[in-house]
Amino acid sequence: SKVSFLRLNSAIFIPACIAFRGLTKQSLDISGATVGIIVAFVLTITRWSFLWALMAFFVTSSKATKYKQEIKKKIEGDEFKPGGQRNWIQVICNGGVATIMAIQYLHSVGLEKV
């Protein structure tokens, strides 16, 4: 089936907004934002619920990472990254399985009708 205009535009716009926010909040570095756009695009194009699950994970994990940063800075020393910036490897580790499963879902079931 065809991708609706709304779904396609959302699959481009929403991931770009998430990546931009991640960069400005220092939750993502450039490589993490780039791969995050790909992950979010695939999940958005597949099903809305996949996107909302990704967003819930991103928001809660970013908040958890920033919780008590001053203690983490003392423990990690020079390895400490402000805001816990995620790079492309961490994005793949956290979203790779979901992306592969979404691609398999697309292959097996097809697009959600919206």
Side-chain angles (χ1 to χ4, degrees):
S1 65
K2 293 183 179 180
V3 177
S4 72
F5 180 77
L6 173 65
R7 178 61 63 86
L8 183 59
N9 283 318
S10 297
I12 295 167
F13 180 73
I14 293 171
C17 289
I18 294 169
F20 180 75
R21 180 172 169 81
L23 285 168
T24 58
K25 295 281 187 177
Q26 294 186 328
S27 298
L28 296 168
D29 69 8
I30 293 290
S31 69
T34 303
V35 173
I37 286 173
I38 296 166
V39 168
F41 176 86
V42 170
L43 296 179
T44 304
I45 211 81
T46 305
R47 285 189 67 84
W48 291 113
S49 58
F50 294 176
L51 169 67
W52 302 131
L54 174 69
M55 289 177 70
F57 172 78
F58 182 67
V59 169
T60 56
S61 64
S62 295
K63 296 239 183 254
T65 299
K66 291 181 180 183
Y67 181 71
K68 295 195 177 186
Q69 277 193 91
E70 60 280 351
I71 295 171
K72 293 175 187 175
K73 187 173 186 174
K74 289 178 186 175
I75 294 169
E76 294 177 10
D78 292 340
E79 297 295 315
F80 178 78
K81 293 185 269 183
Q85 280 188 324
R86 289 169 180 82
N87 61 25
W88 71 273
I89 295 170
Q90 291 159 318
V91 172
I92 291 288
C93 288
N94 289 311
V97 172
T99 304
I100 291 168
M101 293 181 78
I103 292 167
Q104 289 176 330
Y105 180 92
L106 277 173
H107 186 288
S108 299
V109 178
L111 292 168
E112 175 183 43
K113 305 285 189 266
V114 173

